[in-house]
Amino acid sequence: MIELQKYLQYARERGADEAEIFLTSGREESAVVRQRTLEKVESAGDRGLAVRVICQKRAGFAYTSALTDADILRAVDMAVVNAGYAARDKLLGLPPPDAGWNRSSQKALRIYSASAAKLSLLELTDWAKRAERAAYEFDSRIFATESAAAFAAAGETRLVNTHGVDARSRRTLCGLSLEIAAKSGAKMEAAYDFQYAVSPAKIAPEKIGRRAAERAVRMLDAVPAQTGRYDLLLTPSVARDFLSVLTELFSAENVLRQKSLFRGKLGRQVASAKITLVDDPRLPALSGSFLYDGEGVPGRKRILIKNGQLRDFFYDGYSARQSGVPYAGNAARASIFSEPVIGASNLYFQAGKLTRPNIIKSIGRGALIENIMGLHTADPVSGEFSFGASGQLIKDGKLAAPVKDMAIAGNLTDLLKSVKACGSDLEFAGHYGSPSIWISSIMVAGK
């Protein structure tokens, strides 16, 4: 057991007014199968520690992956030295303990699975092979595997600071992904499917294999899109891709730096009244859940957009002090190698009441969008975007031919304001969750 308080005291003795230590340890196993052959296995463990200090309102940071007494003392010394080179900033500070602390609720969060922590390379290899086998058995036109990959990770963290914060957490995550290709004559199409979960009980290899295969085979008959206006129905997976882009717009740091199209729009209508966007780190058994954020601040449910009105942003400790708002618990910490950054926990569009089949019945001319490419190029300042898409046409309330080569360009604000309904099929993956999203009358460029 490393006595972290001892090193906080040492940081004080070296001149730090405030100090924080973040300790992490973990292990990850992975297996990759291709063409029914085990191609690669990896097993890695790591431990490390990061130090942040504030000396006369100057911040210093250092880390070490070696955890002997001498190495940790050296990391503290280095953080103090680095602070001497930093600019003075009166807003710098570390968060105090919060009255909302409740260590007993760690168990209720259900982000650790003993079964996931015990997954072996043999079991992961079996997952990958079962998914691949299910895809090949689905249809004889499945002819190649790009990758069938399974992983399991388990880790523990502890964060202490000189104000009395002592936040501990342990979590697991496991998952399986499959990218498969189908071929018919000169036509070839690929498709991808995956599942991530805290517990292995949520991973269904055969289901992943069949879904990927069905999509790849179906796309062999895809027709090019015709230019025109369509109602678009985004699948939960595609809608989550949009959320990953929208996250940047809610960063208080980006808003303060004039790098978000939502700057100056708090309280204004920025989306359709059908849109309510929530971030909730206390949802059980999700990979984005936590009790305390990367600075030791308790995580809280936050409503960012309510019925289309912009209500809130993401704040870490610094941006909260800069904005004059309470600590929000939105500091994310991925490793010892970098300082906390603003990020989402479980960010999701609130579900509506309509099922996906009922939405499809209401669409005369449209497309079910199952895959998009290039969305990462969206500009968070102007909101301009352009991406390619594929999926299935919707004609007179029914799914019709598969379609590809759809080019869609526009502005994120206009897109959010064009949402006609959210489906009832809310699904989570990673830090994002969404139901199907119905967007009305969008211009699509085709052939």
Side-chain angles (χ1 to χ4, degrees):
M1 177 74 73
I2 299 175
E3 297 179 19
L4 298 183
Q5 295 297 330
K6 165 187 166 182
Y7 300 108
L8 291 178
Q9 179 59 34
Y10 179 72
R12 284 197 186 97
E13 293 169 1
R14 298 295 292 169
D17 302 309
E18 303 171 68
E20 171 200 270
I21 295 177
F22 176 66
L23 174 68
T24 180
S25 64
R27 186 159 195 85
E28 180 167 347
E29 319 271 352
S30 63
V32 177
V33 170
R34 195 191 307 268
Q35 301 297 110
R36 304 177 178 88
T37 302
L38 178 61
E39 186 173 86
K40 183 171 68 175
V41 295
E42 289 185 342
S43 179
D46 64 77
R47 297 181 72 197
L49 175 150
V51 181
R52 284 202 301 168
V53 298
I54 297 173
C55 309
Q56 299 180 347
K57 291 300 178 182
R58 302 174 193 273
F61 175 78
Y63 64 85
T64 176
S65 54
L67 296 180
T68 67
D69 184 61
D71 289 313
I72 298 174
L73 292 175
R74 193 175 300 117
V76 174
D77 285 337
M78 185 60 68
V80 172
V81 168
N82 290 341
Y85 293 103
R88 181 180 170 82
D89 186 339
K90 65 180 182 181
L91 290 175
L92 288 172
L94 298 176
D98 188 281
W101 281 45
N102 181 4
R103 287 192 176 88
S104 64
S105 55
Q106 169 80 44
K107 191 172 182 179
L109 207 55
R110 292 191 279 126
I111 56 175
Y112 180 83
S113 160
S115 300
K118 294 176 183 175
L119 279 169
S120 67
L121 286 170
L122 282 175
E123 290 170 297
L124 296 174
T125 302
D126 181 61
W127 279 6
K129 287 185 174 180
R130 285 163 56 192
E132 189 186 46
R133 188 185 312 124
Y136 280 88
E137 289 176 354
F138 180 83
D139 194 288
S140 60
R141 288 169 288 181
I142 299 297
F143 84 105
T145 309
E146 181 62 31
S147 174
F151 77 95
E156 296 188 38
T157 62
R158 184 181 176 193
L159 185 145
V160 298
N161 74 20
T162 48
H163 295 309
V165 166
D166 189 348
R168 308 177 193 215
S169 176
R170 65 174 183 169
R171 62 175 60 243
T172 56
L173 185 66
C174 55
L176 172 64
S177 63
L178 175 68
E179 185 170 7
I180 205 90
K183 187 176 182 181
S184 177
K187 294 181 179 179
M188 187 172 70
E189 295 288 344
Y192 174 82
D193 199 52
F194 69 95
Q195 280 182 319
Y196 299 147
V198 170
S199 167
K202 300 289 186 181
I203 306 299
E206 284 78 12
K207 187 174 181 180
I208 292 172
R210 287 192 293 268
R211 284 196 308 217
E214 187 276 331
R215 198 170 299 136
V217 169
R218 172 158 43 82
M219 290 306 295
L220 290 172
D221 297 321
V223 298
Q226 300 290 321
T227 298
R229 288 198 168 274
Y230 293 75
D231 277 12
L232 303 182
L233 180 56
L234 310 184
T235 61
S237 174
V238 169
R240 288 195 300 267
D241 287 343
F242 272 94
L243 274 183
S244 67
V245 172
L246 291 176
T247 300
E248 287 187 58
L249 309 183
F250 294 94
S251 163
E253 181 180 6
N254 287 340
V255 173
L256 291 165
R257 291 181 176 180
Q258 310 286 307
K259 291 184 176 178
S260 167
L261 69 87
F262 286 160
R263 66 188 183 282
K265 295 183 179 178
L266 206 59
R268 292 167 58 180
Q269 200 77 15
V270 297
S272 155
K274 300 294 184 181
I275 288 288
T276 292
L277 184 63
V278 180
D279 187 68
D280 190 353
R282 299 300 180 102
L283 293 175
L286 292 179
S287 60
S289 299
F290 57 77
L291 289 181
Y292 315 108
D293 76 351
E295 296 179 308
V297 176
R300 299 182 178 87
K301 180 178 180 179
R302 305 175 68 77
I303 298 176
L304 302 174
I305 294 178
K306 185 173 179 60
N307 298 330
Q309 185 185 71
L310 182 61
R311 300 282 293 271
D312 209 345
F313 294 119
F314 289 132
Y315 297 92
D316 61 0
Y318 184 84
S319 61
R321 286 188 293 276
Q322 198 173 9
S323 303
V325 301
Y327 289 114
N330 299 130
R333 200 154 197 167
S335 74
I336 62 168
F337 304 116
S338 59
E339 298 183 63
V341 296
I342 295 175
S345 60
N346 300 305
L347 181 65
Y348 65 97
F349 289 121
Q350 191 168 280
K353 295 181 178 178
L354 291 173
T355 65
R356 189 193 300 184
N358 281 336
I359 294 176
I360 291 172
K361 286 178 183 175
S362 304
I363 296 175
R365 186 194 194 207
L368 175 68
I369 304 299
E370 298 178 300
N371 187 39
I372 55 175
M373 297 148 286
L375 185 60
H376 63 281
T377 60
D379 186 332
V381 180
S382 67
E384 301 297 322
F385 68 81
S386 175
F387 61 88
S390 61
Q392 294 182 78
L393 292 171
I394 301 173
K395 186 176 181 182
D396 299 329
K398 295 180 180 178
L399 288 174
V403 63
K404 61 181 182 180
D405 300 334
M406 305 177 80
I408 302 168
N411 186 279
L412 289 172
T413 301
D414 294 337
L415 196 74
L416 288 171
K417 288 182 176 178
S418 299
V419 171
K420 197 165 184 177
C422 293
S424 58
D425 50 346
L426 175 61
E427 295 178 5
F428 282 89
H431 290 274
Y432 306 106
S434 180
S436 298
I437 302 287
W438 178 8
I439 303 172
S440 66
S441 190
I442 297 296
M443 190 66 194
V444 173
K447 72 174 185 179

